Amino acid sequence: MAAKTRPKSDAPDASDRVSRIREGVTAAILEHRLLPGTKLGEDEIGEIYGASRTLVRTALQQLAHEGIVNIEKNRGAFVARPTPADAREVFEARRLIEPTIVDHAIDAMSPAWLDRLQQHLTEEREAELRGDARASVRLSGEFHKLVAEMSGHSIYIGFLKEMIARSSLIILLYRRHDTPACGTDHHAGIVAAIRNRDKQAARAQMLSHLTEIEDELFLKDPAADELRLADVLGV
């Protein structure tokens, strides 16, 4: 007697759809196509990805856990709006872990990894030359993720992916001007130090790079604005 065929589970498809929603929203944030404060309607996202509201809600809850989305009771989900204090904490955390990540990357260095890093630098320069700002922003974040993947440290990779998405929102909100916040020259210097297996230089390059990105931000507390406005308009 032939065995009965068990119905195919929807779980793998459901997991894939949740991942696609997460990756799509994150990519849009990295490329500055989704702005801080944008409402993320469950029905609309469901139509875009062919997913149920349950799956959309699961994806948004996961993004909220990472600090990329805010979920407000009776209002729905919105792209997060990090505060100046949030920005300082994110870059402090990145300065703590990324020098260690680059140490591990040097330990794991291989010709194949160096080729990948060099190819990435080429893609960054090409995007910069053609004036593709969205691609430049995305590739800048992906450079840091690539170095983390090279390190092979799964915990750091997870932390950094979350912080890069938060950094993109922060840069969008607080950057002083339109010059690149994460320049290819900085990345080239990091790659050169990795190639030379110079951990001290690589750590110094990474710290300097992250500090320079933060220094390009205009981080001021909203309360300070209100006080100054009161001084100006008060009678």
Side-chain angles (χ1 to χ4, degrees):
M1 181 176 178
K4 291 183 178 180
T5 302
R6 299 181 65 180
K8 185 178 179 180
S9 172
D10 290 334
D13 181 62
S15 177
D16 180 64
R17 287 173 190 264
V18 169
S19 295
R20 285 179 57 218
I21 295 167
R22 281 168 47 91
E23 290 167 5
V25 172
T26 302
I29 289 171
L30 288 173
E31 293 184 358
H32 292 176
R33 290 182 283 116
L34 272 178
L35 305 182
T38 301
K39 183 172 176 59
L40 301 169
E42 292 179 0
D43 290 336
E44 187 174 2
I45 293 174
E47 289 178 9
I48 293 168
Y49 289 96
S52 67
R53 293 188 69 180
T54 299
L55 296 182
V56 173
R57 193 172 296 121
T58 298
L60 293 176
Q61 287 171 344
Q62 290 177 5
L63 291 170
H65 180 71
E66 296 170 7
I68 299 168
V69 166
N70 288 335
I71 297 177
E72 301 180 15
K73 189 175 181 180
N74 300 324
R75 294 194 67 224
F78 300 82
V79 178
R81 293 185 63 90
T83 66
D86 294 333
R88 295 185 188 99
E89 289 179 1
V90 164
F91 280 97
E92 179 182 356
R94 290 187 65 175
R95 282 192 295 270
L96 285 172
I97 71 166
E98 289 199 65
T100 304
I101 285 174
V102 85
D103 274 355
H104 287 289
I106 289 172
D107 290 336
M109 188 182 68
S110 68
W113 270 114
L114 287 175
D115 286 346
R116 288 185 65 182
L117 289 172
Q118 196 60 51
Q119 177 59 36
H120 194 89
L121 290 179
T122 299
E123 291 175 12
E124 286 191 59
R125 291 192 185 98
E126 289 174 350
E128 191 175 337
L129 286 172
R130 67 176 181 266
D132 190 340
R134 287 180 176 176
S136 292
V137 170
R138 173 178 53 80
L139 289 165
S140 293
E142 287 179 359
F143 172 82
H144 291 265
K145 286 193 286 185
L146 186 59
V147 174
E149 289 167 6
M150 181 178 175
S151 77
H153 197 300
S154 60
I155 301 298
Y156 284 153
I157 292 168
F159 283 156
L160 192 58
K161 284 182 177 179
E162 175 184 329
M163 284 189 284
I164 286 170
R166 292 193 190 195
S167 297
S168 184
L169 290 172
I170 289 163
I171 289 167
L172 183 58
L173 279 171
Y174 298 111
R175 207 167 83 194
R176 291 178 185 270
H177 44 66
D178 292 332
T179 56
C182 199
T184 54
D185 289 345
H186 300 153
H187 291 172
I190 293 167
V191 171
I194 292 173
R195 182 183 295 108
N196 294 331
R197 295 187 183 274
D198 189 337
K199 290 186 177 181
Q200 184 175 354
R203 292 175 68 92
Q205 288 270 3
M206 184 65 79
L207 280 171
S208 174
H209 176 44
L210 293 171
T211 298
E212 187 165 345
I213 297 173
E214 185 177 5
D215 287 346
E216 286 293 326
L217 305 177
F218 189 46
L219 300 177
K220 59 178 181 177
D221 296 317
D225 278 346
E226 294 171 6
L227 289 173
R228 282 197 292 273
L229 187 60
D231 291 339
V232 171
L233 300 180
V235 295

